[in-house]
């Protein structure tokens, strides 16, 4: 039986849409010279966020940053990680393990946002790979025990992200992670981009389905000649 006293002791349920202000945080993008990284860097910088894109080569990062404009800076991946508060991982699955393994110290204490989709392609189209750790995000968590690893931004179209004529990208961003403070931060970051909403979607052990769903979206895009996104209804 609950009493009035029990109710009095319970803290009020937190409003899930009450998210922190992330406008002053520096966002790094590892592999930021590629389509996905450039697109995210462009959208976030256009929204007023300070962004540093990372590359294996500082001069490639500087070149891409100059092309993006909006105050974006470029740096070698390790420097990008060190100078950023939130670090998005936007490298191909093939390079994921080696890169993150080499950046453990540079990424210590940072909120890491993995958006990597481990996929294979054959003549039937795209299909999901199953990483040994369960997902790319769980691989990141195992390689970066001193970081706050989350996963998000898997289902975005790099074409839409990079197109300056597109004012609003109407889609939900599924955000996964172990700590609410971290997923709240990443949800808030997603919402800096016009049209986007960050929606909490569970712990990292459920990242595999989210990463794999991209294979389905690629099939949608091919059939309908589209840049499909996702909406979660009734929330
Ligand atoms: N493209 C999309 O629409 C999209 C959407 C959602 C999620 N994603 C995910 O985002 C990630 C990046 O996608 P993308 O299309 O932007 O890929 P990408 O252009 O092939 O690669 C991104 C950047 O990663 C760096 N890179 C390449 N191979 C590497 C390696 N072995 N080790 C370390 N860095 C390496 C390169 O930068 P430097 O040579 O300058 O180092 C490259 O410019 C992928 O994991 C993908 O699943 C993509």
């Amino acid at each position: 039986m609950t009493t009035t006293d029990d109710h009095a002791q319970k803290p009020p349920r937190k409003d899930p849409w009450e998210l922190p202000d992330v406008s002053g945080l520096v966002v790094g993008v590892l592999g930021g010279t590629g389509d996905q990284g450039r697109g995210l860097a462009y959208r976030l910088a256009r929204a007023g966020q300070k962004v540093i894109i990372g590359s294996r080569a500082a001069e490639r990062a500087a070149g891409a940053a100059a092309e993006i404009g909006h105050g974006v800076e470029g740096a070698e991946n390790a420097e990008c990680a060190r100078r950023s508060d939130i670090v998005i991982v936007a490298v191909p699955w093939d390079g994921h393990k080696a890169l993150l393994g080499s950046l453990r110290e540079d990424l210590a204490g940072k909120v890491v946002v993995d958006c990597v989709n481990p996929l294979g392609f054959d003549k039937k189209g795209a299909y999901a790979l199953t990483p040994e750790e369960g997902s790319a995000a769980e691989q990141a968590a195992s390689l970066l025990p001193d970081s706050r690893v989350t996963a998000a931004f898997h289902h975005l179209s790099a074409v839409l992200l990079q197109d300056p004529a597109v004012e609003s990208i109407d889609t939900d961003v599924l955000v996964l992670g172990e700590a609410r403070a971290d997923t709240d931060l990443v949800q808030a970051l997603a919402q800096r981009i016009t049209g986007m909403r960050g929606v909490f979607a569970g712990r990292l052990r459920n990242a595999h389905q989210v990463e794999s769903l991209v294979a389905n979206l690629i099939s949608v895009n091919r059939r309908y000649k589209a840049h499909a996104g996702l909406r979660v209804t009734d929330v």
Side-chain angles (χ1 to χ4, degrees):
M1 194 180 105
T2 54
T3 66
T4 314
D5 278 353
D6 290 334
H7 286 301
Q9 283 163 16
K10 274 189 187 161
R13 192 176 175 273
K14 192 171 178 268
D15 176 353
W17 299 114
E18 201 181 288
L19 298 171
D21 176 11
V22 293
S23 59
L25 300 182
V26 178
V27 178
V29 188
L30 305 177
T33 55
D35 284 339
Q36 170 79 345
R38 272 177 193 255
L40 284 170
Y42 168 63
R43 286 287 151 184
L44 289 167
R46 180 170 140 161
Q49 202 79 34
K50 175 68 198 168
V51 180
I52 302 172
I53 59 173
S55 164
R56 289 168 294 181
E59 65 276 15
R60 270 205 298 281
E67 281 168 27
I68 297 166
H70 295 277
V72 174
E73 285 182 57
E76 196 268 327
N77 281 322
E79 187 189 332
C80 162
R82 282 194 299 274
R83 289 178 57 199
S84 304
D85 303 301
I86 304 180
V87 183
I88 299 172
V89 185
V91 295
W93 168 238
D94 281 354
H96 187 257
K97 190 173 193 172
L99 180 71
L100 294 186
S102 73
L103 295 179
R104 177 175 170 173
E105 285 176 16
D106 306 291
L107 289 168
K110 313 285 179 178
V111 173
V112 172
V113 191
D114 205 293
C115 71
V116 171
N117 302 310
L119 294 178
F121 292 88
D122 63 15
K123 60 179 189 306
K124 294 183 185 171
Y127 59 96
L129 302 174
T130 304
E132 206 182 300
E133 298 83 355
S135 62
E138 288 166 289
Q139 183 181 86
S142 75
L143 292 165
L144 304 171
D146 309 317
S147 304
R148 298 153 63 186
V149 176
T150 66
F153 301 122
H154 307 86
H155 306 130
L156 305 179
S157 155
V159 174
L160 295 184
L161 287 173
Q162 291 184 88
D163 184 347
V166 174
E167 292 292 333
S168 174
I169 301 180
D170 297 317
T171 193
D172 284 343
V173 172
L174 300 184
V175 179
L176 297 94
E178 300 302 319
R180 182 158 184 174
D182 301 341
T183 53
D184 277 0
L185 213 68
V186 178
Q187 284 178 253
L189 186 67
Q191 291 182 193
R192 298 278 286 151
I193 301 176
T194 308
M196 284 189 202
R197 188 176 65 149
V199 179
F200 173 69
R203 302 256 183 173
L204 294 183
R205 67 181 181 179
N206 283 314
H208 175 63
Q209 301 88 282
V210 172
E211 294 170 4
S212 302
L213 190 59
V214 174
N216 304 85
L217 286 179
I218 289 171
S219 302
V220 171
N221 288 341
R222 287 187 176 173
R223 175 68 54 91
Y224 299 99
K225 307 279 178 260
H227 302 294
L230 285 182
R231 277 288 185 212
V232 178
T233 58
D234 203 36
V235 290

